Amino acid sequence: MKIYRIHALICAGAQCLAAGGNGFEDALKNELKKHNIEEEVRVVETGCMGACQLGPLLVVYPEGIMYTNVEAKDAKEIVEEHFLKGRPVKRLMWKKEGKEEFPGLKDIPFFAKQTKVVLRNCGLINPEDINEYIARDGYKALAKAIVEMEPKDVIDVVKESGLRGRGGAGFPTGLKWGFAANQDSEEKYMICNADEGDPGAYMDRSVLEGDPHSVIEGMMIAGYAIGANRGYIYVRAEYPLAVRRLETAIKQAKQTGLLGKNILGTNFSFDIELRMGAGAFVCGEETALISSIEGKRGEPRKKPPFPAISGLFGKPTIINNVETLANLPVIVDKGAKFFKQFGTEKSPGTKVFALAGKVNISGLVEVPMGTSLRKIVFDIGGGIPEGHTFKGALTGGPSGGVIPMEFIDTPMDYESLPALGTIMGSGGLIIMDETSCMVDVAKFFLKFTVDESCGKCVPCREGTRQMLKILERITSGRGREEDIYRLEKIGELIKLTALCGLGQTAPNPVLSTIRYFKEEYLAHIVDKKCPAKVCEFSALKGGRNKYEAKVTH
Amino acid sequence: MEKSRYPQVEMEIRKWGSKPSSLIQVLHGAQERIGYLSQNVLEYVAKRLNVSLSKVYGVVTFYNFFKTQKDADHIIMTCMGTACYVKNGEEVITAIEKHLGIKMGEKTSDGKFSLQIVRCLGACGLAPVISIDGDDVYGRLTPEKAVEAIKRYQ
């Protein structure tokens, strides 16, 4: 094997590429060639490193120095000063509050305070080379499962680990598998839900792009456990890079003999196909996703029967989210006990959050379950940009709610968040400061659900529309005093009667903002003022207009 | 005879199999090759996959991704995900609308640009973000920077 003096890891996550990563890599390679040190420096394109806001990113080993916002014109200086003379380029290094440079990755709080289980390989290996995944113990868990363990043992270890579905609902994964495993059927299916539709979340995207084999291995372990030989990955068409890397990964796994017939000489055979979504948020709901794979409109179905009993093409089907699957190789390889050392008793393991909005360092953050919101926002995310104050954090996207300042020390886990009237969701975490208007935020999410409602059931199709009309009335200065009561009443009704998860959770952002920011609603309705100065009341005219008359009472 | 009319669509049907469950993947492939899904193409796909034309039409109109008309030369997707919304994405959109003289969802009269909203490009760290022609993503935008990006395509 060839030994290199320096490893230069360039982030090739979608965001760093968008910020100009390609140009830097070409420039760096040119410089290496010019100085004739191509044989000494290995350039590796990795998946997402996490600090997306500061991209394009470059990490240089053995020192572990991180350069941020690198541009093509910086390549010359990095090669001549750092690679040739051993003098790191201070002006490009990650700095503490813009002043002092951090000596290495492990000294930067953004990285030092994270715990990486799911993102164990993201930003470290080349996602387009299966050998790099294997070198990091990749496919070891699969070998252990199919050679040494019975399917039942695999289900038991996952049950014991306490792993809960990371798609949002937090249903125990092992328990779900058990339902499908008990079904007597010739055909069963394993589906990976990679239809990450929550606006403001990109955890799954980064795993798919940065470590696609961990998802494939997870699917195979799950397939073995429930007795499925065929898997589908349902991925958003909006993620072309993820699709390309998955295609490459599947191809390489097939060539290596890790996918196909009689894997590793056992009786276990497994095949994976990609299915592209076509832009419908509701397809993240599992029964709608199944309809979409069957080639139909992505409308949800009534449950029960649950997919584990009757799913894709009427056969027992298990659907797991990307992050859930990426956890599996670790659990099977290192055991339930290893996994349970992270997180809380009822929510073991870690959670990846996509931290964004009004925060100093937005990016991907993986922490043990139960970590406080304060730690994520202030210790890891570096707090709120100067001159502004924290107002609230949105979790769970259009299905979730807001966590106000008074609850900033709440542990982020599957029990504490519902108690606050929000949900964990898939991991979107949007931070807001005092310039965000909570009524407008509620309206923003309602607009989203009105657009994305599939229209199959009345409560969701009509109810969300009525709620939106009331919110539009309030934010244009035509709100009435009974509007808050009315929003709550319609909201509760939709929660109880909608057909699927999309509808049942659609009122959450409204109910949650009313719960914590009622005075802001009242300011709009009574004083005709928007405290955050977001809503414009210019259209305000006396009397009822045509538009108002349409709202049902 | 029939087959030779749409050789490109036929290739997609061969790839995915001539069965109803291939519908969405075939439509994806056909749109990528031809650019949009005309009524003739939909009729052809319906016949070949043994699905009724009304069902095919139902699928095409259900999903945002499918287009039944020719699109503009450059498609501008402005992100309105939560992060872009919180970071004043609205101002960027207003500036683009003003620059092109069209509203969201419209096409310029010369057929050069169309303006669409996308729910999330998954580049929240760079918010606010737009993408042009799918692959070119522009982040950390201000209204001025967004207009500047679009000018490169004019």
Side-chain angles (χ1 to χ4, degrees):
Chain A
M1 207 174 101
K2 220 169 138 39
I3 307 285
Y4 293 90
R5 184 167 65 83
I6 292 170
H7 280 79
L9 274 53
I10 298 176
C11 181
Q15 303 198 46
C16 280
L17 290 182
N22 272 338
F24 174 76
E25 186 179 342
D26 294 341
L28 188 76
K29 284 183 170 161
N30 270 338
E31 287 297 322
L32 294 176
K33 204 170 177 179
K34 215 162 87 190
H35 293 281
N36 206 14
I37 50 169
E38 284 170 296
E39 299 294 307
E40 295 171 40
V41 182
R42 170 122 195 249
V43 178
V44 185
E45 270 186 39
T46 73
C48 179
M49 292 178 178
C52 308
Q53 193 176 8
L54 300 171
L57 301 166
L58 164 75
V59 176
V60 180
Y61 284 102
E63 302 98 320
I65 287 172
M66 179 166 253
Y67 292 122
T68 59
N69 296 110
V70 288
E71 289 175 47
K73 63 179 172 49
D74 300 322
K76 186 173 186 307
E77 192 178 348
I78 292 173
V79 169
E80 289 178 357
E81 286 295 307
H82 187 165
F83 294 180
L84 285 173
K85 297 176 190 157
R87 290 195 295 242
V89 183
K90 286 192 173 170
R91 82 180 165 86
L92 296 168
M93 282 165 70
W94 187 306
K95 291 179 192 69
K96 192 182 193 171
E97 282 152 18
K99 289 171 215 129
E100 203 183 326
E101 306 86 19
F102 287 110
L105 263 189
K106 57 182 191 312
D107 305 293
I108 304 172
F110 182 81
F111 297 102
K113 294 192 176 176
Q114 295 193 44
T115 307
K116 301 217 171 184
V117 175
V118 173
L119 302 176
R120 58 193 179 277
N121 295 324
C122 279
L124 214 56
I125 64 168
N126 176 354
E128 297 187 11
D129 185 351
I130 190 170
N131 290 320
E132 297 206 6
Y133 180 69
I134 292 172
R136 295 267 302 158
D137 286 343
Y139 292 107
K140 189 176 153 200
L142 173 75
K144 183 176 168 186
I146 64 176
V147 175
E148 295 172 18
M149 298 163 82
E150 291 295 320
K152 195 186 154 298
D153 303 334
V154 179
I155 296 180
D156 284 344
V157 75
V158 174
K159 273 187 185 163
E160 204 194 317
S161 75
L163 176 66
R164 301 172 66 165
R166 300 294 196 246
F171 193 80
T173 306
L175 198 63
K176 186 157 146 184
W177 287 8
F179 299 143
N182 288 335
Q183 294 297 307
D184 198 16
S185 171
E186 292 258 312
E187 278 284 311
K188 292 181 191 176
Y189 297 106
M190 178 64 220
I191 297 176
C192 166
N193 184 350
D195 190 49
E196 185 175 50
D198 173 359
Y202 55 95
M203 306 74 48
D204 294 349
R205 167 186 204 161
S206 298
V207 175
L208 295 169
E209 289 173 0
D211 196 13
H213 286 287
S214 69
V215 180
I216 293 172
E217 188 180 3
M219 279 182 84
M220 295 173 77
I221 292 170
Y224 176 72
I226 63 165
N229 298 115
R230 181 166 286 277
Y232 291 96
I233 303 178
Y234 186 86
V235 58
R236 284 182 88 193
E238 287 89 340
Y239 288 175
L241 183 63
V243 172
R244 278 205 293 277
R245 293 214 172 127
L246 278 169
E247 278 169 348
T248 308
I250 292 172
K251 202 169 113 197
Q252 289 180 353
K254 279 184 181 163
Q255 280 165 353
T256 326
L258 285 162
L259 264 180
K261 286 210 160 64
N262 299 103
I263 296 159
L264 301 175
T266 65
N267 289 328
F268 179 61
S269 302
F270 198 77
D271 223 334
I272 293 179
E273 285 183 41
L274 277 184
R275 286 288 181 272
M276 273 217 280
F281 176 68
V282 68
C283 287
E285 199 279 337
E286 49 183 22
T287 57
L289 189 154
I290 287 173
S291 300
S292 186
I293 295 186
E294 289 173 351
K296 301 175 191 155
R297 285 164 71 96
E299 288 174 348
R301 303 171 189 175
K302 184 165 68 58
K303 290 194 275 190
F306 287 91
I309 313 295
S310 171
L312 186 61
F313 304 117
K315 305 289 182 208
T317 304
I318 287 295
I319 303 172
N320 284 140
N321 153 277
V322 169
E323 194 182 331
T324 314
L325 292 167
N327 270 303
L328 290 170
V330 177
I331 293 172
V332 172
D333 181 28
K334 298 188 175 161
K337 220 173 142 188
F338 173 84
F339 184 74
K340 281 168 94 167
Q341 67 171 306
F342 309 110
T344 65
E345 198 196 329
K346 286 188 177 157
S347 306
T350 59
K351 181 75 196 87
V352 185
F353 291 100
L355 184 62
K358 297 290 181 68
V359 58
N360 275 322
I361 311 164
S362 52
L364 271 201
V365 171
E366 183 173 0
V367 289
M369 286 271 186
T371 302
S372 74
L373 179 59
R374 184 190 296 275
K375 188 173 171 188
I376 298 173
V377 176
F378 289 92
D379 294 358
I380 298 174
I384 314 297
E386 226 180 294
H388 295 280
T389 51
F390 178 90
K391 182 168 185 182
L394 294 163
T395 69
S399 306
V402 59
I403 304 176
M405 187 65 194
E406 55 190 298
F407 293 109
I408 196 165
D409 289 307
T410 306
M412 304 281 276
D413 60 45
Y414 288 111
E415 276 72 40
S416 312
L417 294 184
L420 293 180
T422 180
I423 60 164
M424 174 79 85
S426 56
L429 186 58
I430 313 282
I431 309 305
M432 293 175 299
D433 62 14
E434 78 288 348
T435 61
S436 290
C437 165
M438 290 300 155
V439 188
D440 195 61
V441 166
K443 189 175 83 177
F444 167 78
F445 281 125
L446 246 295
K447 258 189 197 158
F448 180 89
T449 25
V450 166
D451 275 357
E452 294 295 336
S453 171
C454 77
K456 187 168 176 175
C457 75
V458 179
C460 175
R461 185 183 65 224
E462 300 301 329
T464 52
R465 212 164 276 260
Q466 296 306 328
M467 288 179 81
L468 177 61
K469 281 184 179 171
I470 297 177
L471 286 170
E472 281 175 342
R473 191 158 79 196
I474 296 175
T475 52
S476 60
R478 287 174 287 123
R480 305 178 202 148
E481 278 189 44
E482 71 271 21
D483 278 347
I484 295 182
Y485 167 76
R486 208 172 261 154
L487 282 172
E488 286 176 328
K489 209 171 163 196
I490 305 176
E492 292 301 333
L493 189 74
I494 298 173
K495 279 179 92 162
L496 288 172
T497 53
L499 176 65
C500 80
L502 187 153
Q504 288 158 13
T505 58
N508 283 355
V510 182
L511 299 177
S512 161
T513 45
I514 292 179
R515 180 167 165 182
Y516 296 115
F517 297 95
K518 202 170 195 167
E519 72 285 2
E520 220 170 304
Y521 276 83
L522 286 172
H524 284 76
I525 296 172
V526 181
D527 309 333
K528 312 286 176 205
K529 267 187 193 138
C530 175
K533 300 191 179 68
V534 172
C535 305
E536 282 171 29
F537 295 148
S538 54
L540 185 58
K541 280 180 197 120
R544 295 166 67 101
N545 60 22
K546 199 173 119 216
Y547 161 76
E548 258 184 275
K550 274 195 283 185
V551 178
T552 21
H553 298 282
Chain B
M1 319 150 315
E2 261 274 280
K3 276 182 193 176
S4 58
R5 280 178 59 202
Y6 295 107
Q8 289 173 305
V9 181
E10 192 53 36
M11 277 167 81
E12 290 296 325
I13 294 172
R14 260 183 227 163
K15 181 174 163 195
W16 297 101
S18 168
K19 52 182 192 276
S21 65
S22 306
L23 179 59
I24 292 175
Q25 306 306 316
V26 168
L27 292 175
H28 257 303
Q31 181 167 294
E32 201 179 314
R33 286 165 184 268
I34 306 171
Y36 71 105
L37 303 163
S38 66
Q39 191 182 330
N40 289 340
V41 167
L42 297 184
E43 279 171 12
Y44 181 73
V45 170
K47 201 174 274 176
R48 290 282 292 121
L49 299 186
N50 202 16
V51 186
S52 72
L53 181 59
S54 70
K55 285 223 165 109
V56 173
Y57 186 72
V59 165
V60 168
T61 50
F62 183 86
Y63 296 98
N64 292 331
F65 207 80
F66 297 128
K67 287 171 281 203
T68 51
Q69 282 180 345
K70 192 176 180 298
D71 222 318
D73 300 346
H74 300 292
I75 302 161
I76 305 169
M77 304 271 237
T78 54
C79 184
M80 247 317 192
T82 321
C84 292
Y85 157 78
V86 168
K87 288 207 149 178
N88 301 331
E90 205 111 16
E91 284 177 15
V92 169
I93 292 177
T94 315
I96 297 174
E97 284 179 339
K98 212 174 136 198
H99 177 69
L100 294 177
I102 52 171
K103 289 269 167 218
M104 198 47 71
E106 293 176 352
K107 195 157 77 168
T108 51
S109 52
D110 59 358
K112 205 138 191 214
F113 291 98
S114 72
L115 193 53
Q116 289 164 18
I117 261 195
V118 58
R119 279 311 177 182
C120 184
L121 288 167
C124 314
L126 304 176
V129 199
I130 63 168
S131 88
I132 301 180
D133 298 340
D135 277 342
D136 304 347
V137 178
Y138 298 90
R140 297 181 198 125
L141 290 176
T142 56
E144 298 78 42
K145 272 198 202 160
V147 171
E148 216 173 275
I150 290 167
K151 279 187 182 156
R152 288 181 213 170
Y153 298 82
Q154 274 171 335

